[in-house]
Amino acid sequence: MSQAAPEKNHPTRLIHGFHAVIAKLRHNPDAVKEVYLDQSRKDARAKDLLRHAEAQGIRVIPADAKRLDGLAPGQRHQGVVAKVDANERQVTLDDVLDTLEEPPLLLILDGVTDPHNLGACLRVADAVGAHAVIAPKDRSVGLTNTVLKVASGAAETVPYITVTNLARTLRELKERDIWIIGTADQADGDLYTAEWPKGTAWVLGAEGEGMRRLTRETCDQLVRIPMFGSVESLNVSVASGVCLYEARRRLQK
């Protein structure tokens, strides 16, 4: 494992998990200060990470489980934690999509401005293995302290990408053969009977208001979540979980 000169005293933060760390090494290696890797990992993902780190001259420090657990307490770090520049540039959607080795699974939030809802959506996205959460800049909440607390670490593992023009971003996703699916109470097809391709981006609006008209019209498909009780709708984070887990289930078939 390579050694590098001591880093300068810049503010840093920690990220963890192979997908997050390797994506950072590929697209923004200058932001990575050092990597802590489980010394028992000898598999292909560990070797891939080592290859990228050594090519960039980034120090990789062997660590045991206790040290990694201490760096990322309560998190599924997979045996890798990286120290990165806290002032690094934001990850772009292209950064995410260009590193994927499986069909994309994205969550798009149109009009979700409540920090508790966003934090919960990030947590759901992390749990289901979604590759990014996307929101328009003019109708979204930033990564506030409340969001970070509710997300329980998911804000560090799931890229949260804000875009200037959501409709244009949806069209760009279509150009990458990603199917845009919106959720709407009035949709003809329901979540469990509808068919869709493997690569998907799921669009959900704020509870009550739903998606904006232009967003809805840009979707390739609309589906509804079947409701069997007396309530008329679900919280956006719950609805996100229902949709993303159904999409993940089909990806694993």
Side-chain angles (χ1 to χ4, degrees):
M1 297 186 180
S2 61
Q3 298 290 323
E7 64 180 80
K8 295 180 180 180
N9 187 24
H10 293 304
T12 59
R13 64 186 181 91
L14 297 173
I15 62 173
H16 59 270
F18 278 95
H19 178 80
V21 175
I22 291 176
K24 194 71 67 182
L25 289 170
R26 286 177 175 173
H27 292 283
N28 194 14
D30 290 342
V32 183
K33 304 306 178 184
E34 57 192 16
V35 178
Y36 298 85
L37 180 64
D38 184 342
Q39 56 199 11
S40 68
R41 294 285 303 242
K42 309 295 182 184
D43 54 275
R45 298 185 82 182
K47 291 177 180 177
D48 188 33
L49 184 145
L50 282 170
R51 186 176 72 253
H52 285 289
E54 290 173 354
Q56 300 294 338
I58 294 169
R59 180 170 56 170
V60 177
I61 302 170
D64 58 21
K66 183 177 180 180
R67 185 173 190 184
L68 291 166
D69 290 343
L71 289 169
Q75 304 301 318
R76 294 180 299 168
H77 51 69
Q78 301 175 314
V80 60
V81 177
K83 184 182 292 185
V84 302
D85 186 349
N87 298 320
E88 66 183 295
R89 70 174 178 85
Q90 294 296 311
V91 174
T92 69
L93 188 53
D94 285 337
D95 289 339
V96 173
L97 296 176
D98 289 345
T99 64
L100 296 185
E101 299 177 356
E102 64 176 350
L105 179 58
L106 307 172
L107 174 62
I108 300 173
L109 302 174
D110 186 22
V112 176
T113 58
D114 181 87
H116 291 88
N117 282 338
L118 175 57
C121 285
L122 286 167
R123 191 170 182 176
V124 166
D126 174 85
V128 78
H131 301 111
V133 175
I134 304 164
K137 289 181 179 179
D138 62 340
R139 298 187 79 211
S140 64
V141 60
L143 295 178
T144 64
N145 287 336
T146 299
V147 171
L148 297 176
K149 182 177 180 181
V150 175
S152 300
E156 302 296 335
T157 57
V158 181
Y160 178 58
I161 300 168
T162 56
V163 297
T164 304
N165 188 315
L166 182 58
R168 182 173 62 207
T169 298
L170 296 180
R171 291 192 293 270
E172 291 172 352
L173 290 175
K174 290 183 178 186
E175 292 174 358
R176 285 179 173 264
D177 295 323
I178 299 172
W179 195 252
I180 311 298
I181 308 177
T183 56
D185 295 339
Q186 69 274 20
D188 293 331
D190 72 63
L191 175 66
Y192 300 110
T193 60
E195 297 293 334
W196 57 75
K198 286 191 173 182
T200 55
W202 291 81
V203 188
L204 287 91
E207 186 176 3
E209 297 180 10
M211 294 178 289
R212 288 176 289 183
R213 178 186 58 82
L214 183 57
T215 303
R216 184 170 59 252
E217 292 175 352
T218 309
C219 291
D220 293 305
Q221 183 176 358
L222 295 176
V223 300
R224 56 182 170 81
I225 299 174
M227 305 294 292
F228 300 102
S230 58
V231 299
E232 295 181 355
S233 62
L234 297 173
N235 175 275
V236 64
S237 64
V238 176
S240 297
V242 172
C243 294
L244 291 176
Y245 269 104
E246 175 62 13
R248 173 59 68 186
R249 183 186 69 83
R250 297 192 190 192
L251 283 175
Q252 293 177 320
K253 280 187 174 181

